[in-house]
Structures are given as structure tokens and as C-alpha cells.
Amino acid sequence: MTIRVLVVDDQAIVRDGLVTVLSLVPDLEVVGAAADGAEALAAVERTTPDVVLMDLRMPGVDGPTATARITARHPDVAVLVLTTFADDESISTALRAGARGYLTKDAGRAEIATAVRAVASGQATFDATVGARLVAQLTATAQLTGTAPRTGTAPRTGTTQPVAPAGRVPVRERFPELTPREADVLERIAHGRTNPEIAAELFLTVPTVKSYVNQLFQKLGVRTRAEAVALVLR
């Protein structure tokens, strides 16, 4: 399957370079390029991409604003951030806007292509630098009803990295609309657990976990694990 990609960056040399590099990947088709968020919004309407490769800091309509508008109007379009900045505020802002993945610009062609495929298939993906920043935001395990975060695991592209809320209020109290079991599942999503890992920890079947995930996504008004993580990070 060919994945249609729109490239958005205000620097022409970066934008043109990305278009050239991604055009060499057999299963990716670059359908357009834009120099800012306003151009990106128009290009999405015109080209119907599967993935938007989005810079963050641009004049006029910036990346987070464009991301929020794109994901609201086109929920099937995945936004993958590619930026120079990997500070906590930039990462959190992008995730809250609806970005499904986040890479820094030192990523190579293979890593970018892998991340594009991941977000196009509905996964959340962060590179090692961003994953490390998210891991640093973990609070004490006891504040999350005893769910221990992973340690000693290097961040991997194509997987949701373990993160947790910056505050001290337990997930069950922060999201009273969730049942206790849904809150348990959300905590583990925030720590980067996969559905099979959640099933093993909670002594459930994988289909049951999937059902809980779908239910909590609906209640929280999110579509992806990255969006759920962004809520927990607020």
C-alpha cells in the first residue's frame, strides 16, 4: 500500500530535501509540500494525504495550530511532527494538538519512513530523544496506584513511550467518567504498555482489553493512544 505524504516546513531547503528523500522510498508518495500551517490546511483539502509531516515553529499559522485544525477536520489524516525542538512544552503542545508522532530533525530517512508507516497504521511513535524527555516526566510510581513504569528500556521508534501525568492526582480521580477498570487500562497505556502486556498484568484477555481501550477512548473523546497520553500529561 502506498502512503500519501504532505511535507510542511517553512525552510525551503529542508522542505525540498524531505520531498527528495521521501520520494526515494518505494511505498511513500509525496503528494505536496507547504511552507506554513495555512498552506498545509489548503494542501490537505487538495491532496488528501494519509500523513502530514509537520514542522512546529513557522510564521503565520504554526505547526500545533495547523495540527489541531487538520485533525479536527480530517480525523483520518495522521500528523507526524518533525522539528528541531524537543523540549517538554513543544512535545506536550504537539500531542495535545493531536499529533500522532514526534521526531527531531536529526532523524534519518529510514527512521522517518518507519515513523510515517507507524502513524499511518494508527500507532503512536516517538524517537529516542523525545522518548527520553517523556520518560523524564514520570512521577513516583506510588502516585499511580502502584503501576510501575518500565526502566532500562531504550525508546523505540514506532511504539508509544512510557509517560505519566506531571501532577500527583491519581488517574481514577482525574477521569471520574471512567470505570475503575478503564482507569487501570489508561494508566498502563500512559506507561507504554501494549494490549497484550495490559492483559497479562490485569489478568484479562486481549479482546477484553481492546474493548476497554475503545470504551475509554470514546469517553475521553480521543482517537489514538498518543491523544490519550496527551490527556494524561496535562
Side-chain angles (χ1 to χ4, degrees), residues 16-176:
D16 294 344
L18 288 170
V19 169
T20 299
V21 167
L22 295 180
S23 296
L24 298 175
V25 181
D27 61 334
L28 304 185
E29 177 188 0
V30 178
V31 296
D36 57 35
E39 287 187 14
L41 290 165
V44 168
E45 297 285 352
R46 186 174 64 253
T47 65
T48 60
D50 300 305
V51 176
V52 177
L53 194 60
M54 178 74 73
D55 191 16
L56 279 188
R57 300 189 185 181
M58 299 178 290
V61 179
D62 63 12
T65 302
T67 296
R69 293 177 183 175
I70 290 170
T71 55
R73 298 176 189 176
H74 306 276
D76 293 334
V77 176
V79 175
L80 171 63
V81 168
L82 181 66
T83 182
T84 305
F85 307 97
D87 58 282
D88 293 348
E89 180 62 25
S90 294
I91 296 168
S92 297
T93 299
L95 292 178
R96 286 196 297 268
R100 197 174 291 174
Y102 198 113
L103 301 179
T104 53
K105 286 183 177 177
D106 57 357
R109 181 179 69 179
E111 187 173 6
I112 295 173
T114 298
V116 167
R117 296 184 191 105
V119 298
S121 67
Q123 300 179 54
T125 182
F126 311 114
D127 71 11
T129 301
V130 175
R133 300 290 299 188
L134 292 175
V135 170
Q137 295 183 43
L138 283 167
T139 56
T141 302
Q143 295 168 359
L144 290 178
T145 66
T147 303
R150 296 179 182 179
T151 57
T153 301
R156 298 170 295 162
T157 298
T159 59
T160 303
Q161 299 306 317
V163 294
R168 296 173 177 268
V169 181
V171 168
R172 290 190 184 187
E173 295 182 19
R174 296 184 62 214
F175 303 100

